[in-house]
């Protein structure tokens, strides 16, 4: 009886194996067809983020990124002169990874900041508001180090207002901005040579 049951089950196992094989081949085919368009879209998104945070640049040239940064680009004017830098760092927010792209002029004045990334999963209506212009626009024109203020905290020229009920996300983004600026310290022109005071 036991030998009979084994013979009856063998075709079921074989069918399951064939189904698994076919499913694997289909998934592999779909991946092969979509990986290049996905990579192209991610590259386009990264380029758009650089243009947004460093609008004075007409083109970007890849540089070796210092430790801790995901990428670093020199922003160039029409003559090929460096007018600033766009760097990206992945920070850990409340809901997961946050890609922070920051632009700065050659003297260390922040020109813009963009938040997002393919794995961005901050809470809708709370941490997800870190992508909003109302939050990101606070960084433009400031210099590091930056700090986060909430409620009645004292504010100054280096303060970023926290998103209500999303202090963790606000601190993560601001911390990433500070890390980027610290990493760029070696390529920036010192303030005494014409930078912001």
């Amino acid at each position: 009886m036991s030998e009979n049951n084994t013979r009856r089950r063998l075709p079921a196992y074989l069918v399951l194996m064939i189904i698994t094989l076919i499913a694997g081949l289909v998934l592999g085919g779909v991946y092969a067809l979509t990986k290049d368009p996905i990579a192209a879209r991610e590259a386009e998104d990264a380029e758009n983020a650089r243009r947004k945070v460093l609008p004075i640049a007409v083109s970007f040239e890849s540089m070796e990124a210092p430790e801790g940064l995901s990428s670093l680009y020199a922003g160039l004017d029409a003559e090929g002169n460096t007018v600033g830098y766009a760097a990206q760092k992945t920070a850990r927010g409340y809901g997961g990874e946050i890609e922070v792209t920051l632009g700065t002029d050659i003297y260390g004045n922040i020109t813009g900041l963009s938040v997002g990334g393919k794995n961005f999963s901050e809470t809708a209506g709370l941490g997800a508001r870190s992508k909003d212009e109302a939050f990101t626009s606070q960084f433009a024109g400031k210099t590091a180090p930056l700090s986060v203020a909430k409620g009645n905290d004292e504010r100054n020229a280096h303060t970023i207002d926290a998103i209500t009920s999303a202090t963790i996300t606000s601190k993560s983004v601001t911390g990433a901005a500070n890390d980027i600026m610290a990493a760029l310290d070696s390529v920036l022109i010192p303030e005494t040579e014409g930078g912001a005071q």
Side-chain angles (χ1 to χ4, degrees):
M1 184 79 172
S2 170
E3 190 176 315
N4 242 355
N5 284 340
T6 303
R7 286 186 191 158
R8 283 189 212 142
R9 288 186 186 159
L10 186 59
Y13 293 127
L14 186 58
V15 169
L16 183 59
M17 187 175 76
I18 291 170
I19 290 171
T20 303
L21 179 64
I22 291 170
L25 290 172
V26 169
L27 287 173
V30 169
Y31 172 75
L33 290 173
T34 59
K35 73 175 183 171
D36 290 339
I38 289 171
R41 176 62 188 201
E42 288 174 0
E44 182 183 341
D45 289 346
E47 177 73 13
N48 289 338
R50 287 190 289 274
R51 291 192 181 287
K52 180 179 178 183
V53 301
L54 192 62
I56 57 175
V58 295
S59 64
F60 294 90
E61 184 177 279
S62 180
M63 298 176 64
E64 185 176 339
E67 187 177 344
L69 299 187
S70 306
S71 66
L72 174 60
Y73 287 80
L76 309 175
D77 64 14
E79 287 78 41
N81 300 312
T82 300
V83 292
Y85 302 93
Q88 185 182 82
K89 177 179 175 64
T90 301
R92 179 84 183 153
Y94 181 79
E97 290 183 354
I98 302 173
E99 287 180 14
V100 177
T101 305
L102 181 136
T104 177
D105 66 17
I106 57 176
Y107 304 111
N109 301 300
I110 296 172
T111 56
L113 181 128
S114 177
V115 174
K118 65 181 180 181
N119 296 324
F120 185 84
S121 58
E122 295 302 284
T123 308
L126 297 173
R129 290 174 35 216
S130 61
K131 293 172 107 177
D132 295 349
E133 187 74 20
F135 178 71
T136 60
S137 65
Q138 296 181 78
F139 291 83
K142 296 194 172 171
T143 57
L146 303 167
S147 61
V148 175
K150 57 182 184 172
N152 293 326
D153 291 350
E154 191 174 316
R155 286 158 172 76
N156 59 44
H158 303 282
T159 305
I160 301 298
D161 285 327
I163 299 165
T164 304
S165 300
T167 306
I168 292 172
T169 303
S170 302
K171 286 184 176 181
S172 293
V173 172
T174 304
N178 283 329
D179 291 346
I180 291 170
M181 292 304 294
L184 292 179
D185 192 52
S186 64
V187 297
L188 298 173
I189 295 174
E191 291 180 3
T192 55
E193 294 183 31
Q197 296 294 325

